């Protein structure tokens, strides 16, 4: 008997599903531990929690849960429009920025086309590509990061999308913006460049760049950003894309109606006003990063320099160390599925959480 599952397209059956960080509740069940005794540094979440202004706005919005959200996201777009100096028709709102990536794949890719991404890049790029039956072209990394010259050379006539994360996850590698800008000059107009800036808010001020100003020069650029990381709203699922009106129009055609929920819209709007929280998140991350880098160096563990809110640590037998850390109630992220079997990725937490990770790691080395 042939079933519907047997007949699912081969490109769907071949997808390696996204592997999220292990939830605290799951490890608590497995170990019989209290959730409060578990430290999760596995999903690059903000250890400060959500922005207080965003939390209050989301709570207020709960009274209106019987209503559909504003499907056009007028108020949030107005704020983003002012922040980035772009028109409202250059903004698409999304259910987390993963949704921008997925919309880009569904709007621009199809069977017989390809997308280009770097080795050790974000897992959603190949998933989004394969979902629509297109082919992923994987370009070998240089020093764990993107090799832009090789990525340029990998572009084919059938290439429609090229993915860049800066900083990149899971490696934390960062390319100076001038290199990306020079790269954009060389990309042919038939290729949409998706510039994923999920960790942009964690860059030191001197290394930040207002890439939205490039949109007038590069109509084939799509910038994706999120409220999941520095704004602390990962659980609400809200992000956005900035691009040329024609690009955004195409994304809106494949966008699910009401893709950003009502409390998420309210929280995101309020979060944009919470400069104090953003500054606090940045400062905590910088201090925690220094703590982790120093602590790992003390243990003789190599790290890859990171500009994100996470760090790759070369622990050797990462599968074994990960199991040992879990037994000690510490959840980090194994990255063998990213071609990095000797590494664990650890998110920057509160000082006490970072210390707990370093202590547990020392005990299991
Ligand atoms: C975390 C992350 C995102 C953001 O995901 P959301 O869907 O916005 O939660 C996007 N790109 C990269 C590279 C990430 O690491």
């Amino acid at each position: 008997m042939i079933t519907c599952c047997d007949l699912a397209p081969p490109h769907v059956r071949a997808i390696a599903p996204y592997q999220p960080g292990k939830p605290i509740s799951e490890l608590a069940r497995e170990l019989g531990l209290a959730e409060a005794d578990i430290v999760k540094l596995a999903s690059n979440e903000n250890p400060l929690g959500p922005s207080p202004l965003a939390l209050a706005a989301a709570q207020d919005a709960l009274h209106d849960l019987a209503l559909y959200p504003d499907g056009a996201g007028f108020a949030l777009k107005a704020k983003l429009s002012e922040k980035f100096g772009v028109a409202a028709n250059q903004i698409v709102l999304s259910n987390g920025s993963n949704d921008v990536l997925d919309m880009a794949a569904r709007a621009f890719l199809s069977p017989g086309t390809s997308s280009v991404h770097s080795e050790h890049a974000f897992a959603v790029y190949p998933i989004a590509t394969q979902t629509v039956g297109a082919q992923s072209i994987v370009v070998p990394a240089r020093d764990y990061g993107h090799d832009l010259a090789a990525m340029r050379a990998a572009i084919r006539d059938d290439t429609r999308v090229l993915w860049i994360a800066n900083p990149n996850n899971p490696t934390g590698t960062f390319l100076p913006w001038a290199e990306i800008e020079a790269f954009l000059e060389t990309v042919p107009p038939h290729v949409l460049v998706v510039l994923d800036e999920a960790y942009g808010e964690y860059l030191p001020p001197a290394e930040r760049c207002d890439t939205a100003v490039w949109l007038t020069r590069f109509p084939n650029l799509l910038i994706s950003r999120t409220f999941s990381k520095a704004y602390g709203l990962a659980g609400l699922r809200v992000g956005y894309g900035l691009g040329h009106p024609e690009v955004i129009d195409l994304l809106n055609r494949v966008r699910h109606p009401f893709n950003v929920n009502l409390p998420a819209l309210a929280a995101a709007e309020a979060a944009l006003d919470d400069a104090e929280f953003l500054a606090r998140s940045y400062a905590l991350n910088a201090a925690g990063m220094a703590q982790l880098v120093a602590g790992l160096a003390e243990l003789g563990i190599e790290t890859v320099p990171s500009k994100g809110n996470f760090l790759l640590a070369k622990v050797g037998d990462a599968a074994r160390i990960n199991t040992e850390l879990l037994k000690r109630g510490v959840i980090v992220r194994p990255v063998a599925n990213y071609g990095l079997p000797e590494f664990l990725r650890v998110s920057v937490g509160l000082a006490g959480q970072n210390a707990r990770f370093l202590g547990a790691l020392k005990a299991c080395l």
Side-chain angles (χ1 to χ4, degrees):
M1 183 190 60
I2 295 176
T3 69
C4 53
C5 295
D6 294 328
L7 295 174
H11 63 262
V12 171
R13 300 178 61 100
I15 291 171
Y18 183 80
Q19 296 174 18
K22 195 179 185 67
I24 289 176
S25 54
E26 187 178 302
L27 186 63
R29 276 196 306 276
E30 288 172 4
L31 294 183
L33 284 178
E35 292 194 7
D37 293 335
I38 293 172
V39 169
K40 182 185 173 201
L41 300 174
S43 298
N44 303 345
E45 292 150 335
N46 192 325
L48 290 175
S51 137
L53 291 187
L55 179 61
Q59 277 168 339
D60 266 359
L62 295 182
H63 298 288
D64 292 327
L65 282 189
L67 306 177
Y68 280 100
D70 174 4
F74 178 85
L76 179 55
K77 277 188 197 165
K79 281 212 156 148
L80 291 170
S81 174
E82 195 182 306
K83 179 176 164 70
F84 290 99
V86 299
N89 68 356
Q90 293 186 269
I91 304 169
V92 66
L93 302 181
S94 61
N95 190 268
S97 60
N98 275 292
D99 189 24
V100 174
L101 309 176
D102 193 54
M103 284 189 271
R106 284 186 292 119
F108 289 88
L109 297 172
S110 58
T113 67
S114 63
S115 80
V116 172
H117 70 86
S118 175
E119 181 188 16
H120 316 314
F122 192 39
V124 170
Y125 308 152
I127 292 174
T129 299
Q130 289 166 36
T131 295
V132 295
Q135 190 193 344
S136 283
I137 300 171
V138 188
V139 176
R142 200 178 71 190
D143 299 332
Y144 298 105
H146 294 54
D147 181 341
L148 291 181
M151 290 178 79
R152 172 64 189 84
I155 292 173
R156 306 190 305 218
D157 287 347
D158 71 4
T159 300
R160 296 290 176 271
V161 174
L162 183 146
W163 315 93
I164 296 177
N166 204 42
N168 182 50
N169 173 26
T171 59
T173 49
F174 174 72
L175 290 168
W177 294 108
E179 285 181 32
I180 302 224
E181 191 177 7
F183 171 77
L184 287 168
E185 303 272 9
T186 74
V187 175
H190 71 268
V191 178
L192 178 77
V193 177
V194 179
L195 184 55
D196 182 341
E197 299 186 24
Y199 301 97
E201 290 84 0
Y202 285 114
L203 288 172
E207 287 177 87
R208 290 180 202 163
C209 177
D210 182 7
T211 55
V213 303
W214 296 347
L215 290 172
T216 49
R217 280 159 58 213
F218 306 115
N220 59 335
L221 173 63
L222 175 64
I223 297 164
S224 108
R225 302 184 66 111
T226 184
F227 289 95
S228 294
K229 306 284 159 57
Y231 290 100
L233 298 176
L236 275 180
R237 315 301 305 128
V238 52
Y240 53 98
L242 308 174
H244 188 278
E246 260 187 82
V247 169
I248 298 301
D249 175 62
L250 285 164
L251 298 185
N252 271 320
R253 287 163 198 263
V254 301
R255 185 174 60 83
H256 295 188
F258 313 111
N259 60 331
V260 184
N261 69 63
L262 191 129
L265 284 173
E269 259 182 76
L272 288 174
D273 289 333
D274 205 341
E276 191 272 336
F277 178 79
L278 210 57
R280 208 146 45 86
S281 299
Y282 171 80
L284 181 84
N285 187 64
M289 181 66 84
Q291 179 190 4
L292 284 175
V293 168
L296 287 164
E298 212 166 288
L299 297 177
I301 291 174
E302 252 179 76
T303 53
V304 177
S306 170
K307 301 270 184 186
N309 63 344
F310 55 89
L311 184 65
L312 273 187
K314 193 172 186 180
V315 297
D317 186 352
R320 182 188 72 81
I321 303 275
N322 185 53
T323 305
E324 291 295 322
L325 287 173
L326 288 173
K327 285 186 204 156
R328 291 168 170 83
V330 175
I331 309 174
V332 297
R333 186 75 76 93
V335 283
N337 57 326
Y338 286 91
L340 298 161
E342 293 184 294
F343 289 85
L344 290 174
R345 190 195 69 189
V346 56
S347 304
V348 176
L350 301 171
Q353 296 174 320
N354 301 332
R356 172 91 184 271
F357 159 73
L358 290 167
L361 183 60
K362 186 173 183 181
C364 59
L365 283 175

